[in-house]
């Protein structure tokens, strides 16, 4: 550890990263993380440890918290959810599990408040929207073929 004393700033974040990426692994965190890294890689700059915290970890954590808050309060449009999630989930159970894992990770890393009651209702709502859209798409295909 003495050899890496400059990495000391990262130590508290390594455990939090583990919580999001392994203990409560979820597609949301992974997607936000990869998207943020992709944007940074385009700049071709070398990042310091503090840069990783400021420009990767904190924005990704904020996105996770914001997504949960928007879903919980129903501030996010279903069409936006569709763009963000539809290609990632083929089963309602996996969507619900990922939302629960994201909520648990945020809770454990940030506020300690575990409130999972709302997740099933939101997951059901998203899934109903997707089903409705698929019925609409099927109707349009039938209409166009006539």
């Amino acid at each position: 550890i003495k050899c890496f004393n400059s990495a000391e700033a990262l130590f508290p974040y390594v455990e939090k990263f583990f919580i999001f990426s392994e203990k409560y692994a979820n597609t949301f965190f992974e997607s936000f993380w990869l998207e943020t890294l992709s944007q940074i890689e385009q700049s071709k700059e070398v990042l310091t440890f503090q840069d990783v915290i400021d420009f990767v970890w904190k924005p990704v954590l904020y996105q996770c918290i914001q997504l949960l808050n928007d879903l919980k309060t129903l501030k996010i449009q279903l069409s936006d959810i569709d763009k963000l999630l539809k290609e990632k989930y083929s089963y309602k159970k996996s969507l619900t599990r990922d939302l629960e894992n994201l909520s648990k990770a945020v809770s454990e890393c940030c506020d300690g408040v575990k409130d999972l009651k709302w997740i099933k209702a939101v997951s059901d709502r998203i899934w109903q929207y997707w089903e409705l859209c698929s019925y609409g798409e099927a109707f349009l295909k039938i209409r166009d073929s006539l």
Side-chain angles (χ1 to χ4, degrees):
I1 292 182
K2 291 181 182 181
C3 297
F4 298 105
N5 62 357
S6 62
E8 195 171 329
L10 284 179
F11 293 166
Y13 297 96
V14 171
E15 181 181 356
K16 292 178 181 183
F17 180 81
F18 172 78
I19 290 169
F20 275 92
S21 63
E22 296 294 323
K23 184 175 181 182
Y24 298 119
N26 64 84
T27 305
F28 303 105
F29 177 79
E30 180 182 349
S31 294
F32 293 150
W33 187 266
L34 293 175
E35 180 183 322
T36 302
L37 286 179
S38 172
Q39 292 169 359
I40 290 173
E41 285 176 350
Q42 292 173 2
S43 71
K44 307 276 192 238
E45 292 182 35
V46 176
L47 298 178
T48 66
F49 293 126
Q50 191 60 47
D51 289 341
V52 172
I53 294 167
D54 292 340
F55 301 118
V56 182
W57 173 257
K58 288 181 181 179
V60 169
L61 180 61
Y62 176 78
Q63 284 179 291
C64 291
I65 292 168
Q66 191 65 46
L67 176 64
L68 286 174
N69 286 337
D70 288 349
L71 287 170
K72 187 175 184 177
T73 60
L74 304 176
K75 286 184 182 177
I76 191 168
Q77 297 287 322
L78 287 170
S79 58
D80 292 335
I81 293 171
D82 195 42
K83 292 174 197 167
L84 181 67
L85 306 177
K86 191 168 187 176
E87 299 302 316
K88 294 178 173 63
Y89 296 98
S90 53
Y91 300 102
K92 183 171 22 174
K93 187 176 181 179
S94 60
L95 172 62
T96 303
R97 185 194 67 237
D98 264 6
L99 286 170
E100 288 173 348
N101 280 350
L102 182 63
S103 184
K104 288 175 185 177
V106 166
S107 173
E108 192 164 320
C109 289
C110 299
D111 59 15
V113 177
K114 288 188 180 177
D115 177 18
L116 303 175
K117 296 177 213 165
W118 62 274
I119 291 174
K120 182 172 178 349
V122 166
S123 179
D124 288 346
R125 182 173 180 243
I126 292 169
W127 207 260
Q128 288 169 352
Y129 173 74
W130 287 342
E131 286 177 339
L132 181 62
C133 288
S134 69
Y135 296 144
E137 290 169 7
F139 172 76
L140 291 174
K141 285 179 184 176
I142 292 170
R143 183 197 69 183
D144 291 343
S145 69
L146 296 177

